[in-house]
Amino acid sequence: MSRRARITLLCLLVALVVFGRLLLLYYSEYVYDEEEYKTGSIAALIMDGPKLPLLEYQPGDYEGGTLLFGLLTVPFFALFGKTYFALKLLALTTSLFMAIFAAWFAARHGGTPAAVATGVLFVLPPAYVAQVGLLPWGNYAENATLSLGMLVAASYLFAAKRPRLWQYFLFGAVLGLGVWIHYGFLVTVALLALWWWVSRTSGLRHVAAAAVGGVVGFSPWIIYNITHNWWGLGRFADAVNKSPDAGSRIVAAVKRFGMLLIDDIPAGLSFHAGTLAGTKALSYLYYVLLLALTVTLVVLLRRRWRDGWRALWPTKPRAVSDAALWSLAPVGFVLLYSLVYSVSDYDLFARQWGTLDAEPYCHIFALYPMLLLSAGLAVGHAWRTRLRWPAATVAAVLAIMGVVAIGGLLTPNRPQHERLRRPAYDMGVIYMEIGSKWGADHAQLTKIQRRLDGQALRSFIHGAGIKYGLDHPTSLPVALDKCAAQSDALVPYCLIGVGTGLYVGDAYLHLPQRNEVLRGSPAAARPWLTLGACVGNIWTGRADHWSCGLASAIDVAALAPEGEKDDLPGFVSGHLAMLQFRPQKE
């Protein structure tokens, strides 16, 4: 293919992806989520001047990507204002690079037919790929995009006849950074290590350079955890299956693997038909066709699988790192990711067919772009065989079904023009997260508290209260005593947090038991706890909980301490207003 043709196809891909995603941004309420506020808020805080060290604004112990993409939002805010439109442009950029990297990889290893088929499948993807790609969370879509990009980079680097040490250093640095962005990126690191071993086109000094680069790229995680009690290690511990014996772990892994392949992946496509039966029919049809192309790719390249398998043994000669072998890398990713997921203790947030909430299936999101890429590569490799037209026809059907899927996300009767002009940040959200992180460490909590004032301080204390509610649902007086240690002006913010924490934690009490705890709370604290309980129930999708009915009747200004009669009502109404931003969210 000529250079002009490649540029033309690239421009066409960019134009179609941008048009399709902008259509969703303006005419779908299902590509918005309140968690986006974290990314936008980090950008706003940085632009206004942070009050704390930069790494303190990392929302969770494992959310390095949210901090990084918050920083990347700054140029968009600077150019277009601190609006949802600017924040969504960052997400659109992620979606765009996801498509470009996939088409680039397909063109390099499957030729023009593979690039065209892959491009079409990413322009008209399953609903979930389009939906999560437009949510700048800083983790799931970003992990998939970076994984695709590193596949492209590795396919060039491992094929180089005389690779430079600095290239491997840079390569390793990006890999290390990717693990900080999202722990799931470790699967990509493992896959690329395996592909390097199979090809063995460079020596140990190149590996050493990559390892040094990896430490440099991973250094934000190291620095953060040195200063935060190594909390980030907890997520690695959570990833280990905790069944009591090996037999139970194996059985659980097999069940999870079967559930993933048979039920979870098709359900996560997020087709939305009028009935459950229609939703399942569309989902399984798309999934079967996608698998058919993936199996076609594996069958067409079966000899390369065998060559790669032989090359795993140190005594065997290396396999040639050619296009056919690299074409199997996305399939290898799917298999490895599925295996790691199945043996881990991670699970989906929920299992629900036809859901249009973006969260439930995000732990397996990375599988979908790789499956689409595998399908596009299948068309490319089938193009030189008698399977050319069957493979192309299946890809065309998938694209048509992509139109149906994206159509299911559209809500033209509720356009989002006004939302795109709204501010895309709430700086209190980040300080609330920081307070929640340090709520169990009184000394550090006090140290940080001295550096804050105004709304930042109120949100910080509210976050600490959430931690108290999470940690002491069965011993509410302990949480209330912790709040009582604050000044009179800050006690309501802490108590509201306790009420929120009581209803967002699931470890100790069922909902009826939590209701009894709230009803039995001291009269002086109960209005604030009730307000917090309503916020917690809104967060967890129970906006019809009776606490919200009581909350609406509470006169916050009358109960507020002196000096807070202006700020506290606005603080409460701001949190309760989140209800209107969670349309049909399960």
Side-chain angles (χ1 to χ4, degrees), residues 40 75 156 519 578 585:
Y156 279 96
R519 290 190 178 103
M578 276 192 292
K585 182 178 177 68

Side-chain angles (χ1 to χ4, degrees), residues 237-289:
D238 291 343
V240 179
N241 187 287
K242 299 179 179 65
S243 300
D245 57 78
S248 298
R249 288 194 291 271
I250 292 173
V251 171
V254 171
K255 287 182 178 179
R256 281 164 60 84
F257 190 77
M259 176 68 76
L260 175 68
L261 295 183
I262 296 172
D263 193 79
D264 292 344
I265 294 177
L269 291 167
S270 291
F271 276 95
H272 191 63
T275 64
L276 177 61
T279 297
K280 286 189 173 184
L282 285 174
S283 300
Y284 275 116
L285 176 59
Y286 192 98
Y287 183 51
V288 168
L289 294 176

Side-chain angles (χ1 to χ4, degrees), residues 67-84:
L67 174 58
L68 176 61
F69 277 79
L71 295 172
L72 293 176
T73 304
V74 171
F76 292 94
F77 274 8
L79 289 172
F80 302 102
K82 300 173 185 176
T83 63
Y84 254 118

Side-chain angles (χ1 to χ4, degrees), residues 143-426:
N143 172 43
T145 299
L146 188 58
S147 295
L148 288 166
M150 293 310 289
L151 280 182
V152 174
S155 68
Y156 279 96
L157 184 60
F158 295 174
K161 293 182 179 179
R162 295 180 179 177
R164 304 291 183 86
L165 289 178
W166 68 265
Q167 292 174 318
Y168 268 85
F169 174 85
L170 182 61
F171 181 73
V174 177
L175 292 180
L177 188 68
V179 178
W180 176 57
I181 290 173
H182 188 262
Y183 289 170
F185 190 74
L186 280 167
V187 174
T188 305
V189 175
L191 179 76
L192 294 179
L194 181 65
W195 245 251
W196 170 83
W197 176 255
V198 168
S199 60
R200 294 202 280 280
T201 56
S202 54
L204 290 179
R205 62 195 186 102
H206 295 90
V207 176
V212 173
V215 173
V216 173
F218 195 53
S219 60
W221 185 95
I222 298 172
I223 297 170
Y224 178 89
N225 280 275
I226 288 174
T227 56
H228 289 75
N229 303 320
W230 297 97
W231 289 336
L233 291 174
R235 285 287 164 167
F236 288 108
D238 291 343
V240 179
N241 187 287
K242 299 179 179 65
S243 300
D245 57 78
S248 298
R249 288 194 291 271
I250 292 173
V251 171
V254 171
K255 287 182 178 179
R256 281 164 60 84
F257 190 77
M259 176 68 76
L260 175 68
L261 295 183
I262 296 172
D263 193 79
D264 292 344
I265 294 177
L269 291 167
S270 291
F271 276 95
H272 191 63
T275 64
L276 177 61
T279 297
K280 286 189 173 184
L282 285 174
S283 300
Y284 275 116
L285 176 59
Y286 192 98
Y287 183 51
V288 168
L289 294 176
L290 198 61
L291 285 183
L293 285 177
T294 303
V295 170
T296 299
L297 176 66
V298 173
V299 171
L300 289 173
L301 303 180
R302 58 190 178 277
R303 293 182 179 177
R304 269 302 177 233
W305 270 119
R306 292 197 293 266
D307 292 341
W309 179 256
R310 294 191 195 100
L312 288 175
W313 306 105
T315 57
K316 300 294 184 181
R318 67 175 177 83
V320 177
S321 182
D322 61 6
L325 184 65
W326 274 104
S327 292
L328 293 169
V331 181
F333 179 95
V334 171
L335 293 174
L336 184 58
Y337 195 100
S338 299
L339 178 63
V340 171
Y341 171 81
S342 298
V343 301
S344 75
D345 214 32
Y346 276 94
D347 204 351
L348 304 178
F349 286 106
R351 284 181 168 85
Q352 184 173 352
W353 282 89
T355 179
L356 288 176
D357 183 357
E359 264 192 325
Y361 292 88
C362 58
H363 280 163
I364 62 172
F365 174 79
L367 294 174
Y368 298 108
M370 291 297 179
L371 284 170
L372 293 178
L373 175 54
S374 298
L377 286 165
V379 174
H381 286 280
W383 202 255
R384 295 182 291 272
T385 73
R386 61 183 180 180
L387 295 177
R388 171 193 301 187
W389 295 116
T393 301
V394 171
V397 173
L398 288 174
I400 293 171
M401 294 187 71
V403 175
V404 175
I406 291 177
L409 290 176
L410 295 175
T411 53
N413 57 323
R414 293 188 294 276
Q416 304 299 306
H417 307 76
E418 183 61 33
R419 187 197 291 252
L420 286 168
R421 291 192 288 266
R422 292 176 186 160
Y425 64 94
D426 177 357

